[in-house]
Amino acid sequence: MHATPALATPSNATAVAPFQRRDDLGIEQLREHVVVARRRVAAGQFVHRVGQPFHSLFLVGFGCLKTCELADDGREQVTGFHMRGDLLGVESIGLPHYACDVIALEDSEVWELPYPPMLTACLRVPALQERLTAALAAQIRRDRQWMLTLGTLGAESRVAAFLLDLAERHAQIGLDPHRFVLRMCRVDMANYLAIKHETVSRVLSHLAATGLVDVRRRDVTILDPVALRRVASSESSVH
Amino acid sequence: MHATPALATPSNATAVAPFQRRDDLGIEQLREHVVVARRRVAAGQFVHRVGQPFHSLFLVGFGCLKTCELADDGREQVTGFHMRGDLLGVESIGLPHYACDVIALEDSEVWELPYPPMLTACLRVPALQERLTAALAAQIRRDRQWMLTLGTLGAESRVAAFLLDLAERHAQIGLDPHRFVLRMCRVDMANYLAIKHETVSRVLSHLAATGLVDVRRRDVTILDPVALRRVASSESSVH
DNA sequence: CGTGACCTTGATGAGCGTCAAACCTGGTGG
DNA sequence: CCACCAGGTTTGACGCTCATCAAGGTCACG
């Protein structure tokens, strides 16, 4: 259900993370073969936009970003939020141009992985190749899991599932899974959840009223993970 | 928006297809390196089930199949329908077991591509590797495009978009894009569209009443593609 | 201290889900 | 060959969930 795969964990974080994500690549190994440039991205700035020439994948160093899918007629859909260790740009592999927007929600850092060099590195290091392919497959599974959530659950369950997903990902990068800050505004969250932002507000208020969480604007504390998990998997109106 | 990528077009179809799908791999090239076994699958039978040991990818020779994502609590979500030239099983790469079910909707044939041999073939043939990766990336894009449709459009638009997608895919494999048979029942279609089957029925009846399509149970004729496209991209209640 | 972005809450209603009944249509067996 | 049956499909009536519209509150920042 995660929005993006962790291709690798930035080296300064390996000691902190309680466990590595399965689709971890190993950034140290990668750096032996590819020149990795760090790039700062201010809040609101694009890492890449749809239509720009595809040249690199990006690994999130720190911060938080969102991926945005666009339609010709102006509709847009947030398809993922990304944090440290997540790999960006994989969906554009094989295309001349990036297929979506990636925008920083706060000041962030991404590590630029030039793609042609990565390809040649993959030729020399089969393990690298396998891990990149595995990372792509893992991304498909996450998207599918999210489709399952959106397709089968109602508004309240979606919000609960979202909070639990954030909690899990925070745990994976060594942060407190039960107390964190939402880096995205309600509108982005609502778009991702395919509901309206007013509904998100109401659901959060309700979850707080029933004692499952504490919410003060963007500060979230999960008080009853078990009950929250129950909410996140109970079928909704859309039976 | 297609449900599955075409890794290759079966050789007996290359002459028929008006154009090759971009993520085409070239089955002839592949057969030089991997033993490809044909397998018949009767309607209702599984190509693979969640939990079975992962060993192969599958290329659809003919017929129609669906992919089904399962949750622990029994919820399930159809995440794609597949026809000739589509590649199955990619989402399970890197796992010990298949991550989803694939079920034949009618008597079908799949070509079994044993995965370990494919990996070694990829090592010797870089072009093959690149195309497999590209096929995975294309799958991610299709899933994302569908997430955009589900997240931003109402019931009527979703059905219209679905019919247009089927039309396009039929064109790609050399079938009539404006006159075809729905191989799935209303329930499967509705599940994929994240609405109820009664709603699908009603929408189809309404599209027929306004002269955009003709629908007789599973036989569909698209009468006004332009108007249908307009319906498929007009934002819904979910503004 | 104003100003704008973001968040919350309420009232109302549209869209679609739910429940129920009737209608095919293809397959089975008498 | 026809009667029957089961699964799939259509249609209607009703109600719930969530979108819409509107107003007010909170906070960061110039």
Side-chain angles (χ1 to χ4, degrees):
Chain A
M1 180 171 317
H2 310 299
T4 16
L7 187 68
T9 306
S11 49
N12 60 357
T14 45
V16 184
F19 59 91
Q20 301 270 322
R21 297 181 73 170
R22 269 187 312 278
D23 46 351
D24 186 271
L25 202 164
I27 187 70
E28 298 79 7
Q29 198 175 4
L30 188 57
R31 301 190 77 164
E32 293 170 13
H33 299 276
V34 183
V35 180
V36 178
R38 294 176 177 230
R39 210 174 108 194
R40 296 302 287 290
V41 193
Q45 294 302 110
F46 290 80
V47 173
H48 59 70
R49 307 191 65 157
V50 49
Q52 288 178 340
F54 172 76
H55 52 86
S56 297
L57 303 179
F58 300 90
L59 188 61
V60 180
F62 62 79
C64 188
L65 311 93
K66 66 173 174 180
T67 296
C68 223
E69 207 75 13
L70 304 178
D72 309 324
D73 52 19
R75 286 174 293 130
E76 51 182 277
Q77 177 70 35
V78 176
T79 54
F81 297 108
H82 317 291
M83 25 202 285
R84 187 174 76 199
D86 287 344
L87 185 68
L88 309 177
V90 286
E91 66 286 324
S92 303
I93 289 177
L95 293 181
H97 304 288
Y98 287 101
C100 58
D101 289 349
V102 170
I103 305 169
L105 298 174
E106 61 179 338
D107 293 0
S108 305
E109 185 181 84
V110 294
W111 300 8
E112 191 164 347
L113 314 177
Y115 189 65
M118 275 202 62
L119 267 185
T120 62
C122 285
L123 287 181
R124 286 190 297 168
V125 188
L128 198 62
Q129 176 57 67
E130 252 176 272
R131 293 174 107 169
L132 178 60
T133 306
L136 284 161
Q139 182 61 58
I140 297 174
R141 291 193 295 273
R142 280 186 286 268
D143 288 348
R144 297 275 177 89
Q145 275 295 108
W146 191 241
M147 288 163 80
L148 171 65
T149 297
L150 293 182
T152 58
L153 297 178
E156 182 150 290
S157 301
R158 291 182 202 186
V159 173
F162 178 70
L163 293 178
L164 288 169
D165 182 48
L166 280 185
E168 190 185 330
R169 296 171 70 189
H170 281 221
Q172 286 177 357
I173 59 174
L175 301 175
D176 188 338
H178 293 137
R179 193 175 172 75
F180 50 83
V181 177
L182 299 170
R183 304 297 177 175
M184 71 294 296
C185 65
R186 293 285 186 270
V187 171
D188 283 340
M189 198 171 146
N191 183 303
Y192 182 56
L193 297 171
I195 53 183
K196 299 285 108 178
H197 68 94
E198 296 96 327
T199 304
V200 171
S201 261
R202 274 185 256 271
V203 168
L204 287 175
S205 298
H206 183 245
L207 291 176
T210 49
L212 304 201
V213 300
D214 183 88
V215 183
R216 303 239 157 98
R217 279 167 112 40
R218 295 196 184 182
D219 294 309
V220 172
T221 308
I222 295 180
L223 301 173
D224 190 344
V226 178
L228 199 59
R229 200 155 295 126
R230 209 159 37 231
V231 172
S233 61
S234 64
E235 285 195 40
S236 74
S237 62
V238 184
H239 139 202
Chain B
M1 181 173 313
H2 309 301
T4 16
L7 186 69
T9 304
S11 49
N12 60 356
T14 45
V16 183
F19 58 91
Q20 302 270 321
R21 297 181 73 169
R22 269 186 312 280
D23 45 349
D24 188 271
L25 204 162
I27 188 70
E28 298 79 7
Q29 197 174 4
L30 188 57
R31 302 190 78 163
E32 294 171 12
H33 300 273
V34 182
V35 180
V36 178
R38 294 178 176 226
R39 211 174 107 195
R40 296 304 288 290
V41 194
Q45 295 301 110
F46 290 81
V47 173
H48 60 69
R49 307 192 63 156
V50 50
Q52 289 178 340
F54 172 76
H55 53 86
S56 298
L57 303 180
F58 299 91
L59 188 61
V60 180
F62 62 79
C64 188
L65 311 94
K66 66 173 175 181
T67 297
C68 221
E69 208 74 15
L70 304 178
D72 308 324
D73 52 19
R75 286 174 293 132
E76 51 182 277
Q77 177 69 36
V78 175
T79 55
F81 297 107
H82 318 292
M83 26 202 282
R84 188 175 75 199
D86 287 345
L87 185 68
L88 308 178
V90 287
E91 66 286 323
S92 302
I93 289 177
L95 293 181
H97 304 287
Y98 287 102
C100 57
D101 288 349
V102 170
I103 305 170
L105 299 174
E106 59 178 340
D107 293 359
S108 305
E109 185 181 83
V110 293
W111 299 9
E112 192 164 348
L113 315 176
Y115 189 63
M118 274 202 64
L119 269 185
T120 62
C122 285
L123 288 180
R124 289 188 295 169
V125 187
L128 198 62
Q129 176 58 66
E130 251 176 272
R131 294 174 108 167
L132 177 60
T133 307
L136 283 161
Q139 183 60 60
I140 297 175
R141 292 194 295 273
R142 278 185 287 268
D143 288 349
R144 296 276 176 87
Q145 275 296 107
W146 191 240
M147 287 163 80
L148 170 67
T149 297
L150 294 182
T152 59
L153 297 178
E156 182 151 290
S157 302
R158 290 182 202 186
V159 174
F162 178 70
L163 293 179
L164 288 169
D165 182 47
L166 280 186
E168 190 185 330
R169 296 171 70 189
H170 281 222
Q172 288 177 358
I173 59 174
L175 302 176
D176 189 339
H178 293 137
R179 194 175 172 76
F180 49 83
V181 177
L182 299 171
R183 304 296 177 175
M184 71 292 298
C185 66
R186 293 285 187 270
V187 171
D188 283 340
M189 198 171 146
N191 182 302
Y192 181 58
L193 298 171
I195 54 183
K196 299 284 110 179
H197 68 95
E198 296 95 327
T199 303
V200 171
S201 261
R202 274 186 256 272
V203 168
L204 287 175
S205 298
H206 182 245
L207 290 177
T210 50
L212 304 201
V213 301
D214 182 90
V215 183
R216 304 238 156 99
R217 283 167 108 38
R218 297 196 180 180
D219 293 310
V220 173
T221 308
I222 296 181
L223 301 172
D224 190 343
V226 177
L228 199 59
R229 199 157 294 123
R230 210 160 36 233
V231 171
S233 62
S234 64
E235 284 195 41
S236 75
S237 62
V238 182
H239 140 194

